[in-house]
Amino acid sequence: MVKSENRARLAVTMPRLSRYGGAESFAWRLSEALAARGHAVDFICARCETDPPEGVEPVVLGRFGAFRLVKILWFAYGAQRAQQRGNYDLVFGMGKTLNQDILRIGGGPISKFWELSRRAWPSGFARSFKMLRRRLSLGNWAIHVIDRVRMRRTPRIVCVSHLVRDWLVEAHPFLDKEAIDVVYNRPDLARFSPIGDQERLRLRDASAIREDQVVVATAATNFALKGVRHLVSMLTRLPEHFVLHVAGGRNPGKYERLARELGVAHRVKFLGRVDDMPAFYRAADVFVLATFYDACSNATLEALACGCRSLSSAMNGSAHFLPPRWVFPDPADEGTMAEMVLRAAGEPRPGPFEWPEDVASGLEPYVEMVERTLAARKRS
């Protein structure tokens, strides 16, 4: 606990107070950690979907309007009003808000997302219609304007990967790259860890995986963005005993149809929501994330930590931790991916993952950042 004389009034801004979702879970845990240090923490949100951490007070703005544009502007306006009323010593921003002292960027700018993700949809009408809808969305343009304003106003910006930092500076050239901090998400290495060969054989047997099968695994909520159609097509370039297991996502119908058209339906399993992800990674031989856009995939690092060979496209921030031979430049290049899967499957399984000591990660750097900022203000 911090000493009482160092107690500060803090606010964390995030549209949802929830433990579901990567950014939401992080915001919940950060507010918990700051409250545990003795600070008075308010959580400014549009809606509260779970109990707050001990010592954290929700400031619920409510949701206004039926359209996305109105909801975005309402939260930005309401959060600003709440900050003014709260007279906080420091505001930690995680939502689309105009003003904060520290801003955590969990994804790249919307302009970069548009540029990279367009190839996730097949060329022709599907892609053109998707891009048109994005361009015509007033909500998207509101986000674009808010981004430009807050990048100029925020004293300290933190990105979740070096790749996100590069995207951010590319979209906003007035930013000083060296002044932007990078703090990675860190998987729970106690939960995600390798197992012995015998235990792994029992796990594969329980999952009805034949001894001769090579399981290529991926995990996705957005099948299009994570390149699942290219992974299904990639199977046609691999030997018959290579199979694909897909965790997560909804409505795999069109990908199942694609697998039938290509004659590989018997080699593809869409598992839906998987509760035991460590077991999913441990049973697999090669994990592949063929993503067109990913700020910092937790799944890539979780699979690696479980002793699974992990391949990723270069458009993923956590590819920073993979050997260059396991990173491919184009998630649509099915031939290159197939060659890499074949090579990786013949390599030894990786051992326990050790986080590099020179790479900041987890909650602790943020807590230290907040308290150093508070101390510097007190001295000035």
Side-chain angles (χ1 to χ4, degrees):
M1 298 284 285
V2 294
K3 297 179 180 179
S4 58
E5 60 266 25
N6 291 331
R7 178 182 171 89
R9 279 185 51 74
L10 308 178
V12 174
T13 65
M14 186 74 187
R16 293 191 302 141
L17 197 167
S18 174
R19 301 193 73 172
Y20 183 78
E24 289 80 4
S25 175
F26 176 86
W28 194 97
R29 290 183 292 112
L30 176 64
S31 63
E32 178 187 44
L34 293 172
R37 296 285 293 170
H39 299 297
V41 182
D42 284 356
F43 197 112
I44 300 173
C45 56
R47 62 188 191 272
C48 188
E49 299 179 356
T50 190
D51 292 332
E54 183 178 353
V56 175
E57 186 69 29
V59 177
V60 183
L61 306 176
R63 304 184 75 188
F64 179 79
F67 299 101
R68 181 167 174 252
L69 169 66
V70 178
K71 292 174 182 176
I72 291 169
L73 295 178
W74 172 256
F75 182 72
Y77 169 76
Q80 183 63 31
R81 290 290 302 275
Q83 291 178 37
Q84 292 169 348
R85 289 194 302 268
N87 192 29
Y88 298 106
D89 297 303
L90 183 142
V91 176
F92 190 102
M94 288 190 61
K96 301 297 183 184
T97 47
L98 295 171
N99 295 289
Q100 50 270 306
D101 300 288
I102 301 174
L103 175 63
R104 179 182 185 262
I105 303 293
I110 194 168
S111 57
K112 198 65 183 176
F113 174 71
W114 286 350
E115 174 193 335
L116 294 177
S117 65
R118 63 186 301 274
R119 294 181 61 234
W121 283 266
S123 59
F125 177 78
R127 181 185 296 177
S128 299
F129 183 64
K130 184 74 174 181
M131 297 308 109
L132 179 63
R133 286 180 59 193
R134 284 180 177 174
R135 295 287 178 180
L136 293 179
S137 168
L138 295 178
N140 284 343
W141 286 107
I143 291 172
H144 184 73
V145 171
I146 289 172
D147 271 353
R148 292 195 65 82
V149 172
R150 67 182 183 156
M151 293 308 157
R152 290 188 180 275
R153 290 184 177 180
T154 304
R156 189 159 194 177
I157 298 172
V158 190
C159 294
V160 298
S161 68
H162 291 90
L163 185 59
V164 168
R165 183 187 65 178
D166 293 344
W167 286 341
L168 196 66
V169 173
E170 183 180 335
H172 305 287
F174 54 83
L175 292 173
D176 179 3
K177 179 178 177 177
E178 301 306 317
I180 299 174
D181 296 283
V182 175
V183 180
Y184 280 85
N185 300 324
R186 184 175 61 207
D188 182 353
L189 297 181
R191 181 181 176 216
F192 297 98
S193 58
I195 56 176
D197 291 340
Q198 291 303 313
E199 188 178 355
R200 182 168 178 271
L201 286 173
R202 287 194 293 270
L203 182 62
R204 285 169 66 94
D205 186 58
S207 302
I209 299 171
R210 297 199 317 266
E211 185 176 350
D212 67 314
Q213 286 183 326
V214 175
V215 177
V216 180
T218 195
T221 52
N222 185 328
F223 286 157
L225 193 62
K226 301 306 170 72
V228 171
R229 68 185 172 98
H230 295 293
L231 292 178
V232 171
S233 298
M234 179 190 68
L235 279 184
T236 63
R237 302 169 182 265
L238 292 170
E240 183 73 15
H241 63 289
F242 279 69
V243 298
L244 175 66
H245 289 185
V246 183
R250 297 179 295 275
N251 303 322
K254 66 179 180 180
Y255 301 96
E256 291 172 331
R257 289 193 296 273
L258 174 63
R260 287 195 296 269
E261 291 168 4
L262 296 174
V264 295
H266 62 293
R267 297 165 58 193
V268 181
K269 285 186 179 180
F270 288 92
L271 304 175
R273 176 173 174 171
V274 174
D275 293 322
D276 190 351
M277 287 302 292
F280 174 76
Y281 297 132
R282 289 163 179 160
D285 295 286
V286 183
F287 180 86
V288 184
L289 190 72
T291 184
F292 288 86
Y293 178 95
D294 213 311
C296 187
S297 166
N298 288 327
T300 303
L301 297 182
E302 290 168 356
L304 186 67
C306 284
C308 185
R309 310 160 187 89
S310 297
L311 314 184
S312 172
S313 78
M315 275 72 84
N316 166 27
S318 57
H320 177 82
F321 299 95
L322 300 181
R325 68 183 185 281
W326 286 359
V327 180
F328 48 92
D330 185 359
D333 186 347
E334 296 157 10
T336 295
M337 286 195 295
E339 291 173 5
M340 291 182 69
V341 168
L342 276 171
R343 288 201 304 270
E347 295 186 23
R349 294 177 64 82
F353 178 70
E354 295 184 5
W355 194 271
E357 293 183 1
D358 61 340
V359 179
S361 66
L363 280 176
E364 296 84 358
Y366 290 99
V367 175
E368 293 173 4
M369 194 181 301
V370 167
E371 296 193 337
R372 284 200 304 269
T373 302
L374 292 169
R377 288 181 176 178
K378 189 174 182 180
R379 290 193 301 268
S380 61

